[in-house]
Amino acid sequence: MASTPAPAPPADNPIVFFDVAIGGQPIGRMKFELFADKCPRTAENFRQFCTGEHRREDLPIGYKNATFHRIIKEFMVQGGDFLKGDGTGRTSIYGETFEDENFELKHDAAGLLSMANSGPHSNGCQFFITCSPSPFLDGKHVVFGKLIDGLLTLRKIENVQVGPNKRPKLPVTITECGEF
């Protein structure tokens, strides 16, 4: 029996990608649908950091060459701190932080793209990708996208050995990113 193809994303929902390397070796690509129809401001913030459209002092800033700085197997991988690389840097296209847009979507599957934060209304550039359902995050972190291709790449990241503070022992780097 033939499988039914996945439904196409709404026409206005952007598709973005990360090419990822572990220890300098390419491991694959992850493609994400951003839920601009549900979280337009959050999706746009992420999209512009993927494309390099957002600029500071005439230089593009964003996820290219940023790392995943925290990996917790069977929970999530966190990245996006292109300012400090350790989880303490934050900025957004709207200023240092921006408000939680909504909590309509739940952390009910692997491969969901969600904003990392340090409390209510403290969204910036950091994000995480769920590796399993994480309902305890509902109402605290904004889900704004999902992995549509590249689950094996996510699993490779998830299985990198970590040291103190769940920091990967090998650099896990976004070597290229953009929008389709």
Side-chain angles (χ1 to χ4, degrees):
M1 180 175 207
S3 64
T4 305
D12 293 339
N13 279 356
I15 305 296
V16 296
F17 73 93
F18 290 162
D19 289 337
V20 181
I22 296 175
Q25 297 300 309
I27 61 156
R29 173 172 281 181
M30 292 190 290
K31 286 173 56 176
F32 303 95
E33 174 190 354
L34 303 182
F35 301 142
D37 57 335
K38 304 275 187 200
C39 302
R41 287 174 51 82
T42 309
E44 183 62 11
N45 183 69
F46 190 85
R47 189 193 70 76
Q48 285 197 32
F49 287 145
C50 285
T51 64
E53 286 175 54
H54 189 68
R55 295 178 175 268
R56 293 261 163 86
E57 298 176 11
D58 236 10
L59 296 173
I61 63 170
Y63 298 135
K64 185 172 181 176
N65 297 319
T67 61
F68 286 89
H69 63 271
R70 190 163 72 138
I71 298 172
I72 303 175
K73 189 171 174 63
E74 298 178 1
F75 173 34
M76 63 90 196
V77 300
Q78 183 175 342
D81 180 1
F82 52 79
L83 296 174
K84 298 183 180 179
D86 63 2
T88 63
R90 66 181 181 191
T91 190
S92 81
I93 65 171
Y94 309 112
E96 184 180 355
T97 62
F98 65 103
E99 70 285 345
D100 295 321
E101 200 157 14
N102 69 58
F103 298 115
E104 180 180 331
L105 302 169
K106 305 303 178 198
H107 298 84
D108 58 3
L112 294 173
L113 191 55
S114 188
M115 290 305 293
N117 63 41
S118 57
H121 308 297
S122 62
N123 300 294
C125 51
Q126 293 187 53
F127 61 87
F128 62 90
I129 307 163
T130 59
C131 298
S132 63
S134 304
F136 55 92
L137 299 175
D138 294 347
K140 298 175 187 163
H141 298 270
V142 176
V143 175
F144 66 96
K146 71 177 179 183
L147 186 67
I148 58 172
D149 190 27
L151 183 60
L152 179 59
T153 302
L154 174 62
R155 296 300 184 207
K156 289 176 184 177
I157 296 168
E158 178 187 14
N159 282 287
V160 170
Q161 286 191 340
V162 297
N165 299 318
K166 304 295 184 187
R167 189 167 184 82
K169 289 187 175 184
L170 293 172
V172 180
T173 308
I174 301 166
T175 57
E176 192 61 66
C177 51
E179 182 177 8
F180 284 102

